[in-house]
Amino acid sequence: MVALPFFFLMFSVLELALVFVIDSVLENAAIETGRLVRTGQAAEKNFTAATFKTSLCGRMSIFASDCPSKVTVDVRVIPQFKNPTVPDPLSGKAFDPTVTLYDGGKPGDIVLVRAWYRHTLFTPFLAQGLSRLNDGAAVLTSTTAFRNEPWD
């Protein structure tokens, strides 16, 4: 009688730990890849959304193999750091990738980098506490904002 709740609890803890690891790796990958935009290296190499995503996925360590099919990126110039008005692709329980774009901006521009990672959850009760889509996948989000350096 005790074994089933115990193993369920242990599996939930392990899955939650995996979610935290993925979130941390995604956050670091977004910051490191955003640095390419900030320093002008992305503009020098004519990055597109696909190139940025490939570079981000290359920084996802053990999750790099699944990354291209699970990650969506959005890089855009925003007018100010405080309260930027940007479209949210997570409206309701559906994800709309058509509102994402890639614009690394010019030197001195303020740029917002966002990345979303879809992760399928196995523990039903854990799935209730995380942002989910209609298919039950959790969506982990990473966001960073910065002012481009004067690379000219």
Side-chain angles (χ1 to χ4, degrees), residues 121-136:
L121 295 169
F122 302 106
T123 308
F125 293 114
L126 185 60
Q128 293 175 0
L130 296 173
S131 173
R132 293 180 295 157
L133 299 178
N134 287 332
D135 61 1

Side-chain angles (χ1 to χ4, degrees), residues 74-141:
D74 179 54
V75 179
R76 64 179 65 226
V77 175
I78 56 175
Q80 60 189 7
F81 282 111
K82 187 175 180 181
N83 298 327
T85 305
V86 292
D88 184 11
L90 270 174
S91 57
K93 292 197 178 246
F95 189 86
D96 182 14
T98 61
V99 300
T100 63
L101 58 91
Y102 179 85
D103 178 11
K106 301 179 296 267
D109 283 347
I110 299 173
V111 178
L112 177 68
V113 174
R114 299 183 294 172
W116 295 271
Y117 186 93
R118 295 172 51 98
H119 176 67
T120 305
L121 295 169
F122 302 106
T123 308
F125 293 114
L126 185 60
Q128 293 175 0
L130 296 173
S131 173
R132 293 180 295 157
L133 299 178
N134 287 332
D135 61 1
V139 180
L140 306 173
T141 306

